[in-house]
Amino acid sequence: MQTWTSAVWRSAAFADELRAFVTAAVGEPSLLVPHKVRPWAAVWRVEASGRSYYAKQNCPGQAHEARLVATLARIAPRYVVPVAAADGDRDLLLTEDLGRTLAEAGGDHDVDTWCRIVRDAALLQRAAVPHADDLGLTQLPPEEATTYAGNAIGRLGALPAGDPRRLAEDVAERLRLFLPTVERWSDQVAELDLPLTLNHNDLHSANVVATAADVPLRFFDFGDAVVTEPLGALFVPLAVSAADLGAAPDDLRLRRIVDAGIEVWSDLVPVRALRAALPAALQLSRLARVESWRRCVASMTAEERAEFGSAPADRLATLDADPPVGHVPRM
């Protein structure tokens, strides 16, 4: 993996490249300014021909977003932000500015809003099922969870002392002893035989455009996306909503949110079975967060790794923590 630093996005050469990309799509911009620049992705605010847009490029490890969003815009256009231009080879993406996110609109502390988020996200997942192998994303099927976890423990634990990415020896040993439990979780989830599909993997109200109540929500920021079974995609929205609502794992408000998401799959598997396997699926989805951070950290400079490099190990270390909803047997 090549070294990647956010300094690239502040260079004159890249500014010229980005301006040319935007101009070819929507005309010469009257405004083209950085909106958010981080080691893993950068976003620019664009105004051209009286309209507003956002331009984005990801780090090398997550350089799938332009191609992915363009594909989703063909598969399920009502559920993603409209694409003005996409260059998959350079991972340059230009999308229309549709206004405030749900977080900016202030609706993210409302249970009904969270129900709407997970339901519409599941409908997008359902539309993506036939195309899962063509999305160009890392695939993490439940059957491979134990192998992935074991490899991550070994890889991160073998890094030299002082490396910010290193998994502490005591944590590595604890997680190795926990792998039989991970295997039982993977068996439980795999037995549902749900199809693999898109997992946004960073689904919260700041990545959802607010729309009218009778219009599907539109999702964006798919840099962390992977392909998994569908239930695991509930991990981030449930973790965030639990924190927002001050809700414990057995809180009935979280159960309402869960039911809104799993109902979309109830024609394939009975709801009772989906609910029973959900805690195990949520735990396995922690590995998806490890994977997205692994992709980001891989191309960071030493200075960037000093700040963010521990993220994969930190996420992996939570594998034996409690799920945001429900409970899982440990032995």
Side-chain angles (χ1 to χ4, degrees):
M1 183 73 73
Q2 68 198 81
T3 298
W4 189 261
T5 169
S6 56
V8 170
W9 290 314
R10 295 185 174 92
S11 69
F14 184 81
D16 291 342
E17 181 181 6
L18 181 63
R19 180 172 290 273
F21 167 71
V22 170
T23 300
V26 295
E28 181 69 28
S30 58
L31 179 72
L32 180 57
V33 295
H35 176 70
K36 188 179 294 185
V37 179
R38 293 172 175 171
W40 50 87
V43 179
W44 292 263
R45 176 82 175 172
V46 178
E47 293 182 7
S49 303
R51 303 185 65 177
S52 298
Y53 305 87
Y54 288 104
K56 184 178 182 183
Q57 187 181 62
N58 292 275
C59 68
Q62 308 228 108
H64 54 252
E65 187 171 10
R67 187 177 292 108
L68 172 63
V69 176
T71 300
L72 295 177
R74 293 192 298 270
I75 295 169
R78 297 195 304 160
Y79 292 96
V80 296
V81 291
V83 175
D87 184 331
D89 292 336
R90 293 181 292 170
D91 192 43
L92 288 173
L93 178 65
L94 185 68
T95 55
E96 295 182 19
D97 175 11
L98 297 184
R100 297 187 300 171
T101 66
L102 283 175
E104 291 167 339
D108 50 339
H109 296 288
D110 179 74
V111 174
D112 289 337
T113 298
W114 281 109
C115 289
R116 189 181 175 205
I117 290 172
V118 300
R119 182 198 66 228
D120 284 4
L123 291 170
L124 172 58
Q125 285 183 296
R126 195 69 189 261
V129 166
H131 310 274
D133 289 337
D134 303 321
L135 297 179
L137 296 173
T138 308
Q139 296 205 0
L140 297 174
E143 298 88 345
E144 298 178 11
T146 308
T147 299
Y148 182 94
N151 287 344
I153 293 167
R155 183 179 66 251
L156 295 173
L159 292 170
D163 191 315
R165 299 168 295 171
R166 186 173 186 268
L167 184 68
E169 187 173 341
D170 59 327
V171 177
E173 181 59 25
R174 187 188 83 220
L175 293 179
R176 287 191 193 97
L177 295 174
F178 197 69
L179 288 177
T181 298
V182 177
E183 183 71 10
R184 286 191 288 274
W185 292 343
S186 68
D187 288 345
Q188 183 181 11
V189 177
E191 285 171 3
L192 296 176
D193 200 27
L194 286 166
L196 297 182
T197 189
L198 174 72
N199 179 341
H200 184 288
N201 203 25
D202 195 22
L203 182 58
H204 51 75
S205 57
N207 287 334
V208 186
V209 176
T211 61
D214 58 344
V215 177
L217 294 171
R218 290 183 181 261
F219 302 95
F220 64 96
D221 195 1
F222 288 88
D224 288 345
V226 294
V227 166
T228 66
E229 57 75 36
L231 299 186
L234 290 168
F235 174 74
V236 172
L238 287 173
V240 174
S241 61
D244 284 346
L245 299 170
D250 292 324
D251 194 299
L252 293 180
R253 294 173 295 176
L254 297 183
R255 296 291 179 175
R256 280 182 54 200
I257 298 170
V258 165
D259 285 348
I262 67 175
E263 190 276 333
V264 174
W265 306 96
S266 62
D267 63 318
L268 302 180
V269 179
V271 168
R272 185 172 182 177
L274 294 170
R275 288 173 178 160
L278 177 68
L282 297 177
Q283 295 303 87
L284 296 184
S285 193
R286 295 177 186 273
L287 298 175
R289 296 299 301 150
V290 174
E291 172 63 15
S292 62
W293 272 111
R294 181 199 67 78
R295 299 186 312 216
C296 293
V297 170
S299 57
M300 289 182 184
T301 64
E303 293 77 13
E304 291 163 346
R305 284 180 179 174
E307 183 174 359
F308 301 107
S310 68
D314 292 343
R315 301 309 184 275
L316 186 61
T318 70
L319 191 57
D320 57 352
D322 291 327
V325 171
H327 304 276
V328 288
R330 300 302 172 139
M331 298 298 293

